[in-house]
Amino acid sequence: MSASSVFKIIAVDGGAATGKSSTSRAIAERLGLMHVDTGAHYRTLAYALLNAGADTESADLIPALLASLKLNTTIIGRSALLSINGHVPTDAKIRSPEVNSNVSKFAAIEAVREFLFNYQRSQADVAREHPGFNGLIMEGRDIGSIIFPNAEHRFFLFADEATRAARRVKDGQTDSIAERDKRDSQRKTAPLVCPEGAIRVDTGPLSLDAVVDHICGLITRA
Ligand code: DC
């Protein structure tokens, strides 16, 4: 088997608007990987919980609501999307100001993280069993630390505040990234950290193409 045909897992972590999604999507295209955005998992779940009347202040009521939600995967192109009870909500729905301001509060609730843990790990098998994928690239906050600590490649993306705020404005989104990062880094369970041994990449001064070239080079030369 040649090195490029060995199934590999690539973990990409970092704060909000550090370029994880665009970078991971482009790497998936270039290297023939399945792409999973776990931020979208937390957003989809937050959207479903808000619709079911959940409130981040009443965490004890959440396990009963979670029990009514069935998780599945829909593959579109190279992206594996989370469906809940057979439904994949649109991007506009999971990136609304309401979801933006609640998602990291739901993500700090232990029952919510436990609910997604096995599902997220199972995505490696989805990629292995689906024809045409050489591996999996998964992005989030705890991928290299908790979900796939033994991934073949682990990267941690970061960028200066001004660049990140400008990226959100360009996306047309209302989002308090500093506040979310603070909550994501300070929570008890699976906080946002640079996993030990992960390669740090400063995306602030680089174009998307330059970040993708750099990371693909590190993956293919390894
Ligand atoms: O990547 P994003 O900004 O769309 O993520 C939305 C929120 O989801 C983020 O503020 C924290 C949470 N999240 C998490 O706790 N763990 C992950 N692996 C991915 C996202």
Side-chain angles (χ1 to χ4, degrees):
M1 213 186 261
S2 75
S4 63
S5 65
V6 174
F7 185 92
K8 47 184 151 338
I9 296 181
I10 294 152
V12 178
D13 289 299
T18 53
K20 298 184 302 296
S21 291
S22 339
T23 304
S24 302
R25 249 185 243 118
I27 295 173
E29 279 300 328
R30 236 195 249 186
L31 303 182
L33 311 171
M34 185 177 96
H35 167 235
V36 178
D37 173 0
T38 62
H41 293 171
Y42 284 95
R43 290 171 175 280
T44 302
L45 192 51
Y47 172 75
L49 287 169
L50 287 167
N51 277 349
D55 166 0
T56 54
E57 302 304 317
S58 319
D60 46 332
L61 301 178
I62 287 182
L65 291 173
L66 291 174
S68 67
L69 304 179
K70 182 148 175 37
L71 308 184
N72 237 308
T73 301
T74 299
I75 297 180
I76 297 186
R78 301 215 149 271
S79 291
L81 308 176
L82 169 66
S83 72
I84 296 189
N85 294 344
H87 179 63
V88 181
T90 60
D91 236 35
K93 293 219 158 94
I94 66 167
R95 293 176 199 283
S96 68
E98 192 190 11
V99 171
N100 280 345
S101 65
N102 282 288
V103 61
S104 62
K105 296 180 197 160
F106 280 117
I109 297 171
E110 212 157 317
V112 167
R113 303 203 75 82
E114 272 169 20
F115 186 65
L116 285 175
F117 178 82
N118 287 331
Y119 171 77
Q120 290 176 343
R121 285 190 61 95
S122 76
Q123 297 307 289
D125 289 333
V126 171
R128 273 193 195 93
E129 285 156 18
H130 194 86
F133 293 134
N134 300 321
L136 165 72
I137 184 162
M138 184 176 279
E139 46 152 317
R141 304 294 191 287
D142 60 345
I143 311 308
S145 56
I146 306 282
I147 306 296
F148 290 118
N150 298 321
E152 282 75 12
H153 302 277
R154 294 178 306 147
F155 297 96
F156 184 80
L157 273 45
F158 64 100
D160 60 277
E161 285 282 324
T163 305
R164 295 165 64 197
R167 284 177 184 158
R168 274 301 186 255
V169 171
K170 197 165 151 235
D171 292 344
Q173 282 198 41
T174 314
D175 193 359
S176 347
I177 51 179
E179 201 182 298
R180 275 206 292 136
D181 270 4
K182 191 168 165 210
R183 207 177 284 120
D184 293 342
S185 312
Q186 293 181 347
R187 68 180 174 227
K188 273 204 306 248
T189 314
L192 164 65
V193 286
C194 174
E196 217 183 308
I199 297 176
R200 291 170 60 86
V201 179
D202 182 358
T203 68
L206 300 177
S207 68
L208 173 60
D209 278 352
V211 175
V212 173
D213 285 347
H214 175 60
I215 295 181
C216 285
L218 292 168
I219 294 170
T220 51
R221 277 198 300 273

